[in-house]
Amino acid sequence: MVVPPPRSPDPAKQWIVVDTDTGIDDAHSLLYLLAQPDVEILGITAVYGNTVVEGAVRNIGTVLEIAGRTDIPIFLGASAPIEGEASIAWFVHGHDGLGDRGIVRPEPVVQPESAADFLVRTAAEHPGRVDLHPLGPLTNVALALDRDPELFLRYRSVVLMGGAGPYPAAGTPAVTDANTANDRVAAERVFGAVNRGNLVMVGVNVTAQALLEEHVVETLRAIDDPWPRFAATVLDAYVDFYQHKWGRRISSAHDGLATVVLHRPEIVTGWVEGPVTFTPTAGSLATRVALTAEGYPLSFGTPDGPSTRAVTAFDLREFRRRFVHALAYGRSRAPLDRDDRVPPPAWPNGRPAGAP
């Protein structure tokens, strides 16, 4: 196997590895990170989920081409869960993963190293320095943990979009997420892996609240540039789906919220900590922190296992300000933060605003 030559990341930047099934909201997350002058993406690993894994690769290549960053390496990952067959969310993201809007997608160069091997190697080469950011089914991450059970001890943080936070308040609907339900075996390995308090769940309990309002599509369309034009095109396809949920042309930026939390954890205003349970709910799988909505232990007992930090609340206004700015302007405008801004402590060292 030929391993690509080692990169020399900028020590002043936040180093991130993204693991993605590259549907619509994943593409927006990549655009957000590519817009940040203080972020360096070391590599992107592809997994099945919103589209087939080969489609995820092509969609990564599409975003990188739009951003002028085809130098970022891409790694092919799992095409199916550890057990069973892949469930592809074509009914949400279209058969191409980008809403079937006729977007021309390149065939990017794919590195010969597997996604799991890259995840292990990167953590070993830069211990305590890199943030891992899973946005799809957790199969690649679980396969990497098979190679290195202490993998999470070597990453600075693991901030993932998946799970559903603590148990819901009594009498409210239970929610489940596709990323953990698509590979239950992988999810159990990930949330059961040893960590140092740096495993962060940004679940559907909060990402469903990260709403982009009706005007966002038109705001993006009004800017004559390929970056916002692409963002608007795929977002329009997303709201085509979501309008049947709420009767309005709005959508939840599921992956987008997780990505802004990774980059700017100060937007988090509440969280809980505890081991994770896996409960069948309405024919799906609910992955939750083992606490009631009020923060009490579960009536049937708390399972053993490492603790996960689950986000429960965030600053919606600040999220929208940062996220829409990145989709609209990329790096064509000055960053929102001053050059002399000192970022807050990253997970796992910081605490969210208002936390005890």
Side-chain angles (χ1 to χ4, degrees):
M1 177 184 68
V2 178
V3 175
R7 304 184 71 201
S8 298
D10 184 340
K13 296 185 177 183
Q14 180 179 4
W15 301 352
I16 297 174
V17 169
V18 182
D19 182 63
T20 175
D21 53 349
T22 336
I24 292 168
D25 53 337
D26 308 69
H28 284 162
S29 281
L30 291 176
L31 287 178
Y32 175 88
L33 292 175
L34 291 163
Q36 309 309 318
D38 61 344
V39 164
E40 182 147 2
I41 301 176
L42 303 189
I44 305 174
T45 55
V47 69
Y48 71 94
N50 292 330
T51 185
V52 296
V53 69
E54 295 83 4
V57 166
R58 294 187 69 180
N59 295 346
I60 294 168
T62 300
V63 176
L64 294 182
E65 189 171 90
I66 289 168
R69 290 301 313 274
T70 55
D71 58 302
I72 296 175
I74 302 171
F75 300 84
L76 183 67
S79 60
I82 293 171
E83 296 180 4
E85 298 182 356
S87 175
I88 306 300
W90 59 266
F91 53 94
V92 179
H93 298 268
H95 293 280
D96 67 357
L98 295 177
D100 291 337
R101 293 304 175 92
I103 294 169
V104 177
R105 302 180 297 156
E107 288 282 0
V109 174
V110 176
Q111 301 298 324
E113 189 177 18
S114 74
D117 286 339
F118 169 72
L119 296 180
V120 171
R121 177 172 64 83
T122 300
E125 289 178 351
H126 308 289
R129 187 64 176 82
V130 182
D131 296 311
L132 176 57
H133 192 35
L135 296 176
L138 296 170
T139 313
N140 287 343
V141 183
L143 294 174
L145 283 165
D146 287 347
R147 292 158 170 77
D148 180 3
E150 296 186 340
L151 182 71
F152 293 168
L153 302 182
R154 307 186 210 289
Y155 277 101
R156 186 178 75 150
S157 73
V158 183
V159 178
L160 63 87
M161 192 277 122
Y167 277 65
T172 62
V175 292
T176 62
D177 75 289
N179 287 346
T180 60
N182 275 345
D183 193 339
R184 177 173 182 154
V185 172
E188 290 179 343
R189 291 182 189 178
V190 167
F191 289 106
V194 60
N195 68 68
R196 51 188 175 85
N198 60 339
L199 178 59
V200 180
M201 172 193 293
V202 188
V204 290
N205 57 307
V206 290
T207 63
Q209 303 169 38
L211 294 171
L212 300 181
E213 298 288 347
E214 282 96 341
H215 70 275
V216 174
V217 172
E218 297 310 317
T219 297
L220 298 174
R221 275 183 177 155
I223 304 170
D224 186 19
D225 184 86
W227 185 302
R229 189 181 307 125
F230 168 80
T233 298
V234 298
L235 181 58
D236 187 62
Y238 213 30
V239 297
D240 273 356
F241 168 79
Y242 267 105
Q243 66 185 341
H244 297 289
K245 182 172 184 177
W246 290 304
R248 295 173 53 193
R249 292 187 60 77
I250 58 179
S251 65
S252 295
H254 295 288
D255 291 334
L257 177 62
T259 299
V260 180
V261 166
L262 170 67
H263 180 234
R264 288 290 178 257
E266 66 266 32
I267 75 165
V268 175
T269 58
W271 63 343
V272 297
E273 298 181 61
V276 168
T277 65
F278 302 88
T279 307
T281 301
S284 187
L285 170 70
T287 303
R288 301 191 185 98
V289 172
L291 292 169
T292 69
E294 298 77 21
Y296 298 129
L298 305 178
S299 61
F300 49 86
T302 300
D304 294 328
S307 185
T308 293
R309 301 182 172 193
V311 174
T312 56
F314 66 100
D315 184 334
L316 176 59
R317 180 178 179 277
E318 184 65 7
F319 161 73
R320 285 174 172 162
R321 185 177 79 94
R322 290 186 173 279
F323 194 62
V324 176
H325 183 277
L327 297 186
Y329 303 114
R331 301 186 73 164
S332 66
R333 288 196 179 184
L336 292 175
D337 300 307
R338 303 187 311 271
D339 291 340
D340 62 347
R341 175 186 180 274
V342 178
W347 309 97
N349 300 313
R351 295 196 70 80

